[in-house]
Structures are given as structure tokens and as C-alpha cells.
Amino acid sequence: MQQIESIKEWGGYLKRYTHESEACACTMTFSVYLPPQAETQKVPALYWLSGLTCTDDNFRVKAGAQRYAAEHGIALIIPDTSPRGDEIPDVPERYDLGKGAGFYVNATQAPWDKNYQMYAYVTEELVSLVEANFPVLAGVKSIAGHSMGGHGALIVALKNPQAYRSVSAFSPICNPIHGAWGQGCFTAYLGSNQADWQTYDATCLVQAGARVPDILIDQGTGDEFLTEEQLLPENFKAACEQAGQSLTLRMQDGYDHGYHFIGTFIGEHIAWHAKALKV
């Protein structure tokens, strides 16, 4: 692991690292914000998963989350969204497949299966790396994300209910097996058997019995991808209601899909996670 950046802000430090990933078989980059409390004690961690076309840089620069993380004494862990490098398979003409579009699944189909193991990377390798090298409390963590990363946060929490204290999302892709983005990536990464897709679909997971204590979702009503039926929060809401899964879905009037929306409500999300993390 090599530190490539360190910036002091809000009394803590925003750091950036590269390391050789076994899961993704390439050099991966991630960022960590350590709040000022981490100088004297171990702190809980909030993992943030970003959306299509993003790297670890988008959230840490645009969301303004570090201020609230410092206030509550929470470390932010911000991975990249896909494997990277000249040898990594990609479809350069498409923003929704390949680099920047790992979709937080473990690919099973060639040529993607060698490197696109983002589910294993986020849930296993990165957690082990962070807990071994930073002043964070082992096992005391929550997860959140945006768009494709909101999908990632939901499935990670639902598939590992004992591992995460809380989960929230902004504009998540809630039912990817019925959206164009999800169908394109799932076909490429997982093959044509839709039973395999369902194991990475939050709506299907709830229908199959997966449960967490509560879920917080903020969705803007002015989101262009909502009207294009890429996100489908209504399907997820219906599944949660039928299954008795607690869900707080807030439709925020006029907000779009971008980071102005996230920046408006990120403080509320971090405060919500802080309660679950008992900070």
C-alpha cells in the first residue's frame, strides 16, 4: 500500500492510496478520510460506493462529507468503481460498461471475470486492508452510495446483514434486472441466466427474504434517470412493503441526479449512520 496524497481538512486528514489488489488483479486506488478523533482512538467507518463513470475522487471532492464525518467522528472509506489499467477489459465507447462501471458484482464471464471482482473487493479485500492499517474499529461499519453505488450499497448490506450497522443511498439503481444499465452490465459480467442477476438486485434480494433493520433512500423528483426508468425505486418500495422490510424513501422535490443533490443531504445521511454506529 502506497500513500499518494494527504490533505488536512476539518481537523482530520484526507488520504489517498494505491495497492495491488488480489481480487481485481490490478493496481487499485482508494481514499480515506480520518477525522480528528482518529488521532487518539479508533473510530467507526462509513464505506461510500460511487456511481457510473466515477472514481474515488468524485465523492471526496464534491459531496462535502468530510465536514460531517469530522463532526461525528467517522472515517470515510472511498474505493474506486472498477478495476483500472491498460490491460483491463473495457468498452471505451460506452460509459455504462467496463471501466468506471464495475457494478459491484463478481463477474463470471470472460473477459471480465479476471478483474471485475468488485463485490469481493469491497466486502472482503478492502475491509481487511482498512482494518489492518487504519485506526478504525474492526467490524463497526456502515455503507452508503450513489446511483450504481447506491445499488452496490443496498446489495452489500442485504447480502451481509450482520456486517454493516446501517445502509443508505442516493438515487440508487434499485431493480437493475429491469433497467437498461443493469441489463447491459449483468449480461456482460454474469451471462444470460437471469437467476444469477437476481443475486445482485436489491429488489430481488428483499423478495427472496434478505432483511436489514432499516434503509434510508433519498431520490430527487427531477432526476432524469428516474424518468428513464433506470432507477425504479417504486419497485423496491413495493417489494419492501410486501416483505415488511423497513424503508425510509424520501422523494426530494426538484433535485436531480448529481452531487448538488448529494451535498444537500449528505449531512443527514452521516448523522443517520452515526446513530447506528453509536457515535
Side-chain angles (χ1 to χ4, degrees), residues 5-174:
E5 191 173 63
S6 179
I7 303 168
K8 187 169 186 178
E9 55 182 7
W10 301 105
Y13 284 90
L14 177 65
K15 298 174 180 286
R16 201 177 197 189
Y17 297 86
T18 60
H19 74 105
E20 296 306 309
S21 168
E22 293 184 8
C24 297
C26 67
T27 302
M28 293 292 286
T29 302
F30 69 97
S31 291
V32 174
Y33 177 68
L34 296 174
Q37 296 88 338
E39 293 187 4
T40 58
Q41 65 189 61
K42 291 186 176 182
V43 297
L46 174 62
Y47 287 73
W48 175 270
L49 306 184
S50 293
L52 288 168
T53 76
C54 291
T55 68
D56 64 303
D57 200 37
N58 299 74
F59 178 74
R60 69 188 202 133
V61 170
K62 296 180 179 180
Q66 291 89 309
R67 172 183 179 179
Y68 304 104
E71 176 184 340
H72 292 285
I74 296 173
L76 301 175
I77 315 299
I78 314 162
D80 202 349
T81 57
S82 76
R84 303 282 178 174
D86 293 341
E87 304 303 317
I88 301 300
D90 191 24
V91 185
E93 65 274 16
R94 290 184 59 177
Y95 74 92
D96 59 343
L97 180 64
K99 293 179 186 177
F103 244 88
Y104 304 103
V105 304
N106 286 340
T108 59
Q109 306 298 302
W112 311 100
D113 53 340
K114 177 182 177 181
N115 306 104
Y116 284 74
Q117 302 293 312
M118 287 301 296
Y119 179 81
Y121 178 73
V122 167
T123 60
E124 299 173 15
E125 184 175 19
L126 183 62
V127 172
S128 296
L129 189 69
V130 166
E131 293 186 350
N133 289 280
F134 298 98
V136 299
L137 293 164
V140 184
K141 60 187 183 295
S142 293
I143 192 162
H146 169 233
S147 193
M148 178 187 72
H151 143 79
L154 291 175
I155 65 165
V156 164
L158 287 166
K159 289 164 76 71
N160 303 275
Q162 303 303 316
Y164 297 87
R165 300 286 181 91
S166 52
V167 56
S168 75
F170 289 84
S171 315
I173 302 172
C174 292

Side-chain angles (χ1 to χ4, degrees), residues 253-265:
D253 185 48
Y255 286 92
D256 64 15
H257 196 72
Y259 268 88
H260 296 287
F261 171 46
I262 296 171
T264 302
F265 297 103

